Amino acid sequence: MLRIQNFIGGTFSDAASQRCLDNIDPSSGEVYGAIPDSDQTDVGLAYKAAAEAFDSWRQTTLDQRSKILLTIADLIDEQAQELARAESKDNGKPLKLALSVDIPRAAANFRFFGHAITQFASESHESTGQNTLNFTLRQPLGVVGCISPWNLPLYLFTWKIAPAIAAGNTVVAKPSEVTPATAYLLAEIVQKAGLPPGVLNIVHGTGNSAGQAIIEHPGIKAISFTGGTKTGAHIARTAAPMFKKLSLELGGKNPNVIFADCDYQKMLDVTIRSSFANQGQICLCGSRIFVERSIFEKFKNDFVSRVAQLTVGHPAQDVYLGAIVSEDHRDKILHYIAVAQEEGGRVLTGGHKVVVQGHEKGFYLAPTVIEVKRADCRVNQEEIFGPVVTLMPFDGEQEVLNYANDVPYGLSASVWTSDLDRSMRMSQSIQAGIVWINTWMNRDLRTPFGGIKASGVGREGGFEALRFFTEAKNVCINYKTT
Ligand code: TXE
């Protein structure tokens, strides 16, 4: 049994209440560990440790912070195998995916901000002829809250924590109660890297208890959140009246627009990935596929036959899809497949559970492609967040642009075309925070990351993240020239 503990003030501890929650392995459906069922008391202790550590941490030099972040990155690389195994067991994703994407990106997050903080500058304004100089200070906020989801556990947890501590803040962080394991291992790593006690505090527990205590804590100055749109709205309602800074990275229902003049083979290969990587549990997945009519039938046949061959199995094996993260989430996905069929959608492949020999109680689903008749059907409007994509043809740019934008979300989009002018027209008109042309999930960490509409508020990444985790203060000096 993996017994996970909170990490507060540099030491490991159970929840003050001694209550625990089961941790389930989605590949087998079995309970394999326990996590603290933390509440307000634990968050209060974490806040206290963070507040006590803030003064000394914010006075460290940029090089001192950089050194610690770069050491954390190196330790993550050294422990990649152990971290990947823990991630795969907790989330159900294939081990090879955790090893090739999740864990290297967690190291990259710390390495990127370990360098970025030494380059982060502000500005000054000389009011000539008025003997006046203005300069802008960018000061850390204090104690901040970082709350992350279950789909890319360590990857998204560190994407928030790294810039927060690089900017001189101290942190109360909560990973998803569904996937706590790598956050627990990260605590051991930051301790080894010499991060001073109280700079990073990790509290495990449910959203309604530990999570809620973080967002409503009067001393926590900002909340950086990634998760569902509904939860994001709840956090905004709670934290906004307390004037906390908010970064909300929420759901997506991203269009994948395929024109006949695209590089067909490359498009097909990447579209398999953008549809089903991580069992389709990535907010950036292209879950609505729109194909120009002249190649629709060809694409449908080629895509469906490729999808039908994708392997589904135990995440420790060499499979393309592992287990869905939880029984509840698997059932939510199956419900949406039924809704699609009630609306006249045609399941072209998949649409059912998969029984994996020896792991019959695991949560496995077949990758599913549904041909839909209307762009505004429910499965094209609501985030399913699983291995399910819809398919429909279009006839012209304006028509597909309307389809792409006719959705509450606005996170990302992919457009496949060889026409440069068209790629510019589409990128400027698509309502999203990120547009990929002839690629997908191509990430440069310096770029602004985030969505619009129901996909959230604010941007992560690069100097955007460091600006979020600092306050700008304008200092204006008037001086004598004689
Ligand atoms: O998110 P939740 P979940 C979407 C996707 C998924 C849905 C729910 O549609 O089905 O969100 O996923 C914490 N106060 N995405 O369950 O519930 C919770 O404990 C404070 C898209 O993971 O939003 C967890 O740590 N915290 C997303 C985190 O919020 C609260 C990736 C996310 O939980 C809370 C994942 C509260 N009241 C899911 N309630 C993306 N954009 O990448 C919950 N939490």
Side-chain angles (χ1 to χ4, degrees):
M1 281 284 269
L2 174 66
R3 193 170 168 68
I4 279 172
Q5 292 190 296
N6 289 336
F7 180 64
I8 297 176
T11 56
F12 292 93
S13 57
D14 294 331
S17 66
Q18 295 300 310
R19 283 193 316 272
C20 286
L21 300 165
D22 285 344
N23 190 16
I24 294 172
D25 173 350
S27 70
S28 64
E30 306 287 343
V31 174
Y32 88 99
I35 81 166
D37 183 9
S38 305
D39 60 21
Q40 217 168 6
T41 308
D42 307 288
V43 168
L45 293 171
Y47 170 76
K48 186 167 171 292
E52 284 165 3
F54 175 59
D55 232 23
S56 51
W57 181 247
R58 75 181 172 87
Q59 292 174 56
T60 50
T61 66
L62 299 184
D63 283 341
Q64 283 169 329
R65 291 181 211 161
S66 171
K67 191 166 165 299
I68 291 176
L69 267 77
L70 296 178
T71 306
I72 293 171
D74 292 343
L75 290 172
I76 290 174
D77 283 338
E78 281 171 28
Q79 291 184 219
Q81 290 289 342
E82 181 193 5
L83 288 162
R85 275 195 301 277
E87 200 75 294
S88 173
K89 190 170 183 63
D90 237 6
N91 171 277
K93 68 178 71 196
L95 176 60
K96 65 178 182 183
L97 182 68
L99 209 46
S100 60
V101 173
D102 296 71
I103 306 311
R105 174 60 191 273
N109 290 340
F110 276 104
R111 194 160 287 123
F112 176 84
F113 286 106
H115 291 302
I117 194 59
T118 64
Q119 306 304 311
F120 184 50
S122 59
E123 54 205 352
S124 67
H125 303 81
E126 186 184 6
S127 312
T128 50
Q130 298 175 47
N131 310 334
T132 301
L133 175 71
N134 288 272
F135 59 91
T136 304
L137 295 177
R138 284 212 156 268
Q139 297 178 314
L141 306 174
V143 180
V144 299
C146 295
I147 299 174
S148 60
W150 48 253
N151 63 318
L152 299 163
L154 195 61
Y155 172 131
L156 292 173
F157 197 53
T158 55
W159 183 231
K160 298 169 180 304
I161 290 168
I165 61 176
N169 302 285
T170 52
V171 176
V172 176
K174 192 195 84 68
S176 171
E177 57 278 27
V178 179
T179 51
T182 44
Y184 176 61
L185 296 173
L186 178 69
E188 293 172 337
I189 286 174
V190 304
Q191 213 176 28
K192 225 186 283 176
L195 190 70
V199 174
L200 171 61
N201 303 279
I202 300 173
V203 179
H204 292 275
T206 64
N208 291 335
S209 176
Q212 184 68 23
I214 292 172
I215 65 171
E216 60 189 28
H217 191 290
I220 291 180
K221 299 281 187 285
I223 302 290
S224 174
F225 169 78
T226 296
T229 291
K230 236 166 87 249
T231 310
H234 170 81
I235 291 175
R237 275 194 301 276
T238 308
M242 302 172 84
F243 305 109
K244 293 176 194 267
K245 281 182 93 170
L246 287 179
S247 164
L248 302 173
E249 297 299 330
L250 308 177
K253 192 69 187 183
N254 311 306
N256 180 0
V257 180
I258 300 168
F259 287 94
D261 68 349
C262 69
D263 174 339
Y264 187 84
Q265 199 46 52
K266 179 181 172 192
M267 172 280 297
L268 193 58
D269 295 341
V270 174
T271 296
I272 291 287
R273 212 160 47 84
S274 66
S275 302
F276 300 110
N278 204 43
Q279 298 71 247
Q281 296 166 148
I282 301 176
C283 55
L284 300 167
C285 277
S287 51
R288 296 184 291 148
I289 302 176
F290 299 106
V291 184
E292 196 161 21
R293 196 174 296 279
S294 59
I295 60 164
F296 181 69
E297 288 305 323
K298 172 176 172 44
F299 172 81
K300 184 164 75 171
N301 295 330
D302 293 344
F303 183 60
V304 165
S305 63
R306 284 279 296 271
V307 172
Q309 291 161 43
L310 294 177
T311 48
V312 181
H314 190 280
Q317 307 304 318
D318 182 12
V319 291
Y320 196 87
L321 291 99
I324 300 296
V325 74
S326 69
E327 189 167 23
D328 288 352
H329 193 57
R330 185 208 49 201
D331 294 344
K332 169 182 165 185
I333 297 164
L334 284 169
H335 168 70
Y336 270 110
I337 294 169
V339 166
Q341 292 173 300
E342 285 153 22
E343 292 184 309
R346 199 154 68 88
V347 173
L348 304 177
T349 184
H352 54 80
K353 292 180 187 175
V354 171
V355 176
V356 173
Q357 292 312 320
H359 307 282
E360 287 73 10
K361 290 199 289 179
F363 316 131
Y364 299 94
L365 281 180
T368 300
V369 181
I370 303 174
E371 185 175 357
V372 293
K373 294 196 168 71
R374 301 171 51 88
D376 60 359
C377 61
R378 261 191 73 189
V379 285
N380 256 19
Q381 295 295 306
E382 297 173 23
E383 186 184 43
I384 299 173
F385 214 64
V388 180
V389 295
T390 65
L391 208 50
M392 66 178 277
F394 69 87
D395 290 306
E397 248 178 67
Q398 194 50 54
E399 181 189 350
V400 74
L401 203 49
N402 295 340
Y403 291 160
N405 289 337
D406 174 25
V407 70
Y409 297 94
L411 186 54
S412 71
S414 282
V415 178
W416 293 91
T417 178
S418 302
D419 180 333
L420 175 68
D421 297 341
R422 172 189 280 154
S423 67
M424 282 313 295
R425 287 195 299 271
M426 292 296 286
S427 340
Q428 286 163 346
S429 305
I430 282 182
Q431 295 166 5
I434 302 144
V435 180
W436 282 299
I437 304 292
N438 301 330
T439 186
W440 177 73
M441 197 88 160
N442 202 323
R443 294 281 293 113
D444 179 324
L445 303 189
R446 293 171 296 176
T447 57
F449 179 87
I452 57 176
K453 299 171 30 178
S455 291
V457 173
R459 292 295 182 273
E460 296 186 293
F463 289 156
E464 295 280 344
L466 295 175
R467 275 193 281 275
F468 173 75
F469 283 116
T470 52
E471 280 299 358
K473 178 186 287 175
N474 175 47
V475 180
C476 174
I477 296 183
N478 184 255
Y479 54 88
K480 287 195 182 55
T481 47
T482 50

